[in-house]
Amino acid sequence: MNKKVKTKELFDCQTPYLVELFEECEYPWEMLPKIKGYMQKLIENGLEGFTEIADDVWVGENVKIHPSAVIEAPAIIGHNTEIRPSAFLRGNVITGSGCVIGNSSELKNCVLLNTVQVPHYNYVGDSVLGNFAHMGAGSICSNLKSDGKPVVIHGDTEIETGIRKIGGILGDKADIGCGCVINPGTVIGKGTSVYPLTSLRGVLPEGCIVKSLSDNELLKYNDKVRDYLL
């Protein structure tokens, strides 16, 4: 089973101010230590159509921010994005257009492409979420292993990242059900849909339906149903 983990295999980045970041990183987790510096470069060069509402906090056109939301710098919020009550952006957050950051959701050091939804009680740390990715209520990206060691990506081969904090890598149109836990370094392929209350780890191929069955996951892929051990 082909477990795609490269940036170009997971994302179609059409957000102009993010294209360079996606093109220079062969693997998406390589973006994570670069986010802050990349954002500072964008801010220094100027963001057309964006307005600075606080020091190093830039928002695009038609952005809605609830008064109870907290946004720490640096942050770049794309056009037509909505930030709902009690959302907490802890810095190094950059989004594309049309995103929803929902009530009591917490984000830090992450990249969201266009039309991403993290609408209810989500935690997204040290993660990359693709176009139209959706996280159901209460689903979280766990970004630190219990032993504190660097994250290893368990794909077709083992990839040593050398990075201690990696949350979830969600390909375009990945759909995560309510109450799911995305364990550190989990990669979810394009268009894969995950049922609620599932604990995810490893690399999930694109175009799958994932259901929790204890330690095994039942996958439906190209109309075939098979047991798949994560």
Side-chain angles (χ1 to χ4, degrees), residues 7 14 20 37 80 104 109 130 142 149 154 171 192 195 215:
T7 303
Q14 299 294 325
E20 182 180 344
N80 302 305
S104 302
N109 198 57
S142 175
K149 293 181 180 179
H154 301 287
T192 283
Y195 275 38
D215 291 333

Side-chain angles (χ1 to χ4, degrees), residues 53-54 57 59 65 69-75 77 83 87-91:
I53 62 170
V57 176
V59 301
I65 303 174
V70 175
I71 304 176
E72 296 183 349
I77 309 301
I83 302 179
F88 182 23
L89 280 63
R90 288 172 46 199

Side-chain angles (χ1 to χ4, degrees), residues 27-191:
Y27 297 103
W29 51 87
E30 294 173 343
M31 300 181 200
L32 302 176
K34 298 181 178 182
I35 292 174
K36 184 174 183 179
Y38 186 81
M39 293 177 69
Q40 292 297 339
K41 183 171 69 172
L42 288 177
I43 291 169
E44 290 170 4
N45 291 339
L47 285 159
E48 186 175 356
F50 283 71
T51 301
E52 188 176 24
I53 62 170
D55 289 345
D56 287 344
V57 176
W58 292 78
V59 301
E61 299 173 355
N62 302 314
V63 171
K64 297 179 181 179
I65 303 174
H66 192 274
S68 65
V70 175
I71 304 176
E72 296 183 349
I76 298 173
I77 309 301
H79 308 302
N80 302 305
T81 289
E82 180 180 1
I83 302 179
R84 293 177 176 169
S86 300
F88 182 23
L89 280 63
R90 288 172 46 199
N92 300 335
V93 174
I94 183 168
T95 85
S97 63
C99 295
V100 174
I101 300 171
N103 59 296
S104 302
S105 292
E106 180 180 345
L107 284 71
K108 55 88 72 170
N109 198 57
C110 59
V111 179
L112 281 57
L113 286 178
N114 295 336
T115 325
V116 173
Q117 293 192 342
V118 286
H120 314 285
Y121 309 105
N122 303 115
Y123 176 69
V124 181
D126 303 286
S127 299
V128 182
L129 277 57
N131 301 289
F132 294 96
H134 170 262
M135 294 181 64
S139 59
I140 65 169
C141 296
S142 175
N143 61 340
L144 181 64
K145 294 170 59 178
S146 58
D147 61 10
K149 293 181 180 179
V151 173
V152 177
I153 307 298
H154 301 287
D156 289 328
T157 60
E158 303 283 281
I159 302 176
E160 301 276 354
T161 68
I163 302 172
R164 289 182 65 247
K165 288 190 176 183
I166 303 177
I169 308 295
L170 277 60
D172 291 346
K173 297 184 179 180
D175 189 6
I176 309 303
C178 297
C180 290
V181 175
I182 301 170
N183 285 284
T186 299
V187 180
I188 301 171
K190 284 184 175 182

Side-chain angles (χ1 to χ4, degrees), residues 15-30:
T15 307
Y17 51 88
L18 286 171
V19 169
E20 182 180 344
L21 178 64
F22 277 70
E23 287 183 345
E24 70 183 22
C25 295
E26 181 179 9
Y27 297 103
W29 51 87
E30 294 173 343

